[in-house]
């Protein structure tokens, strides 16, 4: 990275810290003082300001500019990438692939064009973040069907990167919940996904290499300002997977309700070496929240002095929590034991892992060994993650070289058919020993997808219904295992299990192996047909690890 680029990143981290400090009094009031002095159940509608509105006319003018920019890019003969700066998104890859490319700047597309509460739809530009979108829709008791858990993940990024979260065991990836999406082809044509279903099936997960997203109509569904969450202990991630199998099958057999309100609307888990905690729940009405709170159910908030969320889970796993005997009986899971129940303001629930990027922050000392004692200090984690979001942590991580980052930690999300989870866990134990692991079941979409989790019409068993997303984030505890070899082994293992890895991370396998994981012919044909070939950078070229 050029010194100039480094200085820009440091300046933008410093700016984020400054804004975080300015915001502190507001957060202190909202998250600590107001709940003490006034109604503890007063609603928190959002952690960030709501997305701004933009007129269709202004949007059309902005799109025209982007089309002109794309035309210039074609004339230059250079390959096109999105002109976001290094560390602005949530990729574990550096921006080296962008160095010789033509950057098309689309960041003006950051507003909402329409919110129709009646028909439960929001038309969004791609650079609207989920935090800004949910701050806009939640006061209307509505949320998208899938809300990825980092505050600054954008709608466009979640389409092109297959966004998931705890509603995904029912609602699949974010892109499958959209009504219609406007795309810009390599030829400069503006088209709608509904009129080009074959093309659309190859867009999600393609990382902007098939077509660019200009706007999208997001389906919204009823939600409330409170989540009731229960924490259940399982012996291992395998037991949690068995529970997921049961719940996914049950859901697939029953009436498919899409809303956030109810008992088993949310499901994810965190695996620790000593056991796995599954989190289940859904939104409750304010009246129910009040009744439950009066009967002793605690409220979890993330105030300025809060620890990272995964440590909250760990404390519950080791020390138990609040659970009434009735709830214990009522919620006796098949494989696990109910440890704790709590209420969480919905925006805090949605972005609970944003603090520290799950536990990704614990890898920072490996990137900057000379600052290791400061960077591994829990108080420092609390202060830093109070002030800045996960997006800024990525910027900090981008200050070191790819070699240092990739040589000291792993950040991978792996979608594995449920029967393959055991082998993946064994491999992790034998090689890296990375814990905790994030576990998030994701339903397969109902049509074939080039990069997503599509399935055939023929559902024979739970294996065809969903994949377990296993998030492996952090530095190996087994020490000394060469991570280059581990990455190659991991990619082979995931492919042999019939799984997929998330492409926000580097791909280590060569081009031929990479394309054996996907329908390369379909991808190339569509790039040819819609003018993406020789205009947008190819997918392998974008995600493969640069050597040296
Ligand atoms: C450790 C880690 C954990 C993660 N966990 C989760 C998770 O639990 N759930 C989840 O949903 N995601 C998760 N992600 C992945 C994240 O959602 C994806 O990387 C997502 O694509 C990031 O979106 P972004 O808005 O930050 O966009 P960026 O990172 O800027 O972009 C992502 C890709 O989309 C392309 N793109 C962006 N906008 C457009 C557009 N308008 N048109 C065409 N292409 C575009 C970019 O070129 C890029 O290839 C995780 C990532 C990491 C590193």
């Amino acid at each position: 990275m050029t010194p100039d680029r480094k200085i820009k990143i440091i300046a933008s981290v410093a700016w984020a810290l400054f804004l975080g400090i300015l915001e502190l009094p507001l957060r202190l009031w909202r998250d600590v003082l107001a709940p003490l002095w006034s109604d503890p159940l007063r609603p928190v509608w959002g952690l960030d300001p709501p997305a701004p509105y933009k007129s269709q006319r202004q949007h059309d003018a902005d799109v025209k500019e982007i089309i002109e920019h794309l035309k210039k890019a074609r004339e230059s003969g250079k390959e096109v990438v999105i002109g976001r700066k290094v560390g602005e998104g949530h990729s574990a890859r550096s921006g080296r692939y962008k160095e010789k490319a033509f950057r098309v700047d689309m960041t003006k597309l950051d507003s909402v064009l329409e919110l129709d509460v009646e028909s439960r739809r929001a038309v969004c530009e791609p650079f609207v973040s989920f935090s800004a979108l949910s701050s806009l829709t939640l006061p209307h008791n509505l949320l998208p069907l899938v809300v990825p858990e980092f505050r600054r993940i954008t709608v466009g990024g979640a389409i092109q990167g297959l966004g998931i979260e705890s509603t995904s065991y029912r609602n699949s990836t974010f892109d499958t919940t959209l009504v219609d999406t406007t795309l810009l082809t390599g030829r400069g044509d503006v088209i709608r996904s509904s009129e080009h279903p074959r093309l659309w099936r190859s867009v999600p997960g393609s990382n902007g290499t098939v077509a660019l997203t200009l706007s999208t109509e997001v389906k919204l569904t009823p939600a409330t300002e409170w989540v009731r969450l229960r924490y259940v202990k399982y012996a291992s991630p395998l037991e949690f997977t068995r529970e997921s199998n049961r719940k996914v099958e049950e859901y697939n057999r029953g009436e498919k309700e899409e809303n956030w309100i109810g008992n088993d609307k949310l499901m994810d888990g965190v695996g620790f070496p000593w056991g796995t905690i599954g989190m289940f729940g859904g939104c409750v009405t304010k009246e129910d929240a009040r009744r439950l709170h009066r009967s002793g159910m605690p409220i979890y908030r993330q105030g300025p002095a809060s620890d990272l969320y995964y440590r909250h889970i760990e404390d519950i796993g080791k020390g138990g929590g609040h659970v009434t005997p009735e709830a214990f009986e009522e919620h006796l899971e098949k494989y696990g034991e109910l440890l704790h129940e709590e209420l969480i303001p919905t925006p805090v629930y949605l972005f609970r892992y944003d603090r520290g990027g799950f536990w990704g922050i614990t890898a920072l000392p490996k990137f900057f060994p000379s600052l290791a004692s400061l960077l591994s200090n829990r108080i420092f984690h609390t202060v830093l993650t109070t002030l800045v979001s996960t997006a800024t942590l990525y910027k900090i991580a981008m200050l070191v070289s790819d070699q240092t980052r990739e040589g000291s930690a792993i950040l991978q999300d792996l979608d594995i058919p449920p029967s393959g989870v055991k082998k993946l866990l064994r491999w992790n134990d034998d090689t890296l020993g990375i814990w905790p692991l994030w576990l998030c079941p994701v339903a397969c979409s109902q049509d074939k997808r080039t990069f997503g989790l599509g399935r055939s019409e023929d559902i024979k068993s739970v294996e065809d219904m969903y994949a377990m997303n296993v998030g492996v984030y952090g530095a190996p505890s087994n020490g000394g295992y060469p991570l280059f070899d581990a990455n190659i082994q991991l990619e082979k293992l995931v492919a042999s299990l019939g799984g997929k890895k998330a492409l926000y991370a580097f791909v280590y396998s060569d081009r031929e192996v990479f394309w054996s994981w996907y329908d390369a012919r379909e991808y190339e044909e569509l790039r040819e047909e819609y003018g993406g070939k020789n205009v947008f950078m190819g997918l392998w070229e974008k995600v493969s690890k640069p050597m040296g």
Side-chain angles (χ1 to χ4, degrees):
M1 183 187 303
T2 60
D4 185 38
R5 187 77 233 116
K6 247 186 191 167
I7 290 168
K8 280 190 182 153
I9 293 187
I10 291 170
S12 87
V13 170
W15 179 244
L17 279 168
F18 174 69
L19 292 180
I21 291 168
L22 280 190
E23 210 198 31
L24 214 50
L26 168 77
R27 296 205 45 197
L28 206 62
W29 168 252
R30 186 188 66 197
D31 303 326
V32 182
L33 300 175
L36 287 179
W37 285 344
S38 59
D39 179 5
L41 290 164
R42 69 199 271 282
V44 175
W45 295 118
L47 304 184
D48 291 296
Y53 281 103
K54 182 189 274 183
S55 69
Q56 185 66 43
R57 219 168 97 192
Q58 183 58 50
H59 171 75
D60 292 343
D62 292 343
V63 166
K64 212 168 148 197
E65 241 177 61
I66 292 167
I67 294 173
E68 281 304 310
H69 210 189
L70 184 65
K71 194 170 160 214
K72 281 200 190 116
R74 275 199 311 270
E75 285 162 6
S76 75
K78 288 184 180 174
E79 288 177 311
V80 170
V81 295
I82 307 277
R84 254 188 136 179
K85 296 181 190 116
V86 179
E88 294 263 277
H90 293 81
S91 171
R93 295 179 268 107
S94 69
R96 265 179 77 179
Y97 69 90
K98 293 190 179 183
E99 276 166 14
K100 293 197 179 111
F102 194 105
R103 299 168 194 216
V104 173
D105 187 0
M106 302 176 70
T107 49
K108 266 189 183 173
L109 302 183
D110 64 353
S111 306
V112 166
L113 303 179
E114 194 189 334
L115 171 64
D116 187 337
V117 173
E118 199 96 315
S119 67
R120 297 181 187 158
R121 300 277 190 271
V123 182
C124 292
E125 293 186 322
F127 283 90
V128 171
S129 75
F130 277 90
S131 184
L133 178 59
S134 56
S135 296
L136 185 75
T137 63
L138 195 55
H140 300 282
N141 287 318
L142 293 171
L143 279 177
L145 272 71
V146 175
V147 180
E149 72 284 289
F150 297 154
R151 277 158 62 196
R152 302 280 150 78
I153 289 181
T154 62
V155 165
I159 294 173
Q160 300 279 350
L162 301 169
I164 58 161
E165 235 292 306
S166 57
T167 52
S168 288
Y169 92 94
R170 308 159 72 90
N171 301 335
S172 189
T173 47
F174 173 67
D175 55 279
T176 66
T177 69
L178 303 172
V179 183
D180 205 359
T181 299
T182 310
L183 300 166
L184 179 61
T185 68
R187 233 174 249 126
D189 297 327
V190 176
I191 59 171
R192 300 185 79 89
S193 63
S194 54
E195 288 159 9
H196 298 264
R198 185 176 160 217
L199 177 76
W200 174 243
R201 283 195 291 273
S202 287
V203 170
S206 69
N207 278 267
T209 65
V210 171
L212 306 181
T213 318
L214 296 175
S215 69
T216 190
E217 197 176 333
V218 182
K219 221 196 272 183
L220 303 170
T221 183
T224 69
E225 69 261 40
W226 286 97
V227 166
R228 173 188 184 174
L229 202 64
R230 55 185 206 281
Y231 295 73
V232 180
K233 186 170 180 179
Y234 298 90
S236 70
L238 271 185
E239 293 296 297
F240 176 77
T241 305
R242 285 192 193 116
E243 187 74 55
S244 305
N245 288 352
R246 196 169 70 87
K247 286 196 157 57
V248 168
E249 280 186 304
E250 202 174 280
Y251 175 65
N252 275 274
R253 271 200 308 271
E255 283 274 302
K256 295 215 171 69
E257 269 178 56
E258 284 174 335
N259 75 57
W260 284 70
I261 303 166
N263 221 340
D264 262 337
K265 298 298 166 91
L266 316 165
M267 160 161 61
D268 75 324
V270 175
F272 296 92
W274 44 263
T276 292
I277 306 297
M279 277 87 50
F280 308 92
C283 287
V284 288
T285 61
K286 189 162 183 168
E287 294 68 41
D288 278 344
R290 195 170 293 286
R291 185 180 49 75
L292 292 164
H293 185 52
R294 277 208 194 108
S295 69
M297 191 176 287
I299 294 175
Y300 172 76
R301 296 176 200 276
Q302 285 190 340
S306 300
D307 209 338
L308 308 184
Y309 179 65
Y310 89 94
R311 292 197 184 121
H312 175 65
I313 303 173
E314 194 171 27
D315 289 345
I316 291 167
K318 289 185 169 168
H322 165 89
V323 47
T324 58
E326 303 79 59
F328 187 84
E329 285 303 317
E330 191 189 336
H331 294 300
L332 200 61
E333 309 288 318
K334 194 156 183 195
Y335 301 97
E337 165 203 357
L338 179 63
L339 292 181
H340 177 64
E341 280 196 292
E342 68 191 8
L343 294 163
I344 311 184
T346 300
V348 175
Y349 173 80
L350 295 178
F351 306 110
R352 64 206 180 284
Y353 292 113
D354 187 75
R355 239 191 142 107
F358 287 93
W359 37 90
I361 194 170
T362 58
L364 280 186
K366 298 275 177 194
F367 302 162
F368 306 95
S370 55
L371 298 173
S373 57
L374 172 70
L375 295 177
S376 42
N377 184 299
R378 280 176 76 148
I379 297 173
F380 177 78
H381 289 175
T382 301
V383 174
L384 183 66
T385 57
T386 292
L387 299 178
V388 300
S389 70
T390 289
T392 304
L393 293 181
Y394 280 111
K395 283 189 189 163
I396 297 173
M398 289 302 154
L399 287 170
V400 298
S401 69
D402 289 342
Q403 305 306 326
T404 307
R405 226 179 24 258
E406 293 285 302
S408 39
I410 281 201
L411 281 185
Q412 300 274 358
D413 273 276
L414 312 157
D415 292 319
I416 307 289
S419 62
V421 172
K422 191 174 179 179
K423 279 197 178 149
L424 180 71
L425 293 172
R426 191 174 306 143
W427 178 84
N428 180 45
D429 276 342
D430 293 345
T431 53
L432 306 173
I434 291 182
W435 296 94
L437 299 171
W438 188 48
L439 304 162
C440 182
V442 183
C444 299
S445 65
Q446 279 154 5
D447 51 0
K448 277 252 171 221
R449 298 282 172 139
T450 303
F451 301 104
L453 298 171
R455 69 174 172 209
S456 59
E457 294 287 293
D458 189 16
I459 299 173
K460 295 194 192 79
S461 71
V462 73
E463 290 291 300
D464 304 314
M465 293 177 189
Y466 88 104
M468 181 63 82
N469 180 97
V470 182
V472 185
Y473 319 130
S477 64
N478 293 351
Y481 201 90
L483 289 190
F484 180 87
D485 295 348
N487 272 296
I488 294 269
Q489 281 176 24
L490 185 57
E491 287 177 4
K492 273 193 189 147
L493 177 66
V494 170
S496 73
L497 296 173
K500 298 260 166 61
K501 72 175 237 166
L503 298 179
Y504 67 71
F506 275 124
V507 167
Y508 282 69
S509 301
D510 62 30
R511 185 198 308 260
E512 210 175 308
V513 172
F514 174 76
W515 280 115
S516 70
W517 305 336
Y518 306 104
D519 187 345
R521 211 166 118 192
E522 177 74 355
Y523 175 76
E524 286 307 336
E525 269 181 29
L526 287 167
R527 274 172 43 100
E528 183 87 56
E529 193 178 327
Y530 286 88
K533 195 172 177 184
N534 301 326
V535 175
F536 300 130
M537 184 175 279
L539 185 56
W540 185 80
E541 286 68 22
K542 198 167 185 180
V543 300
S544 60
K545 180 171 174 348
M547 296 302 152

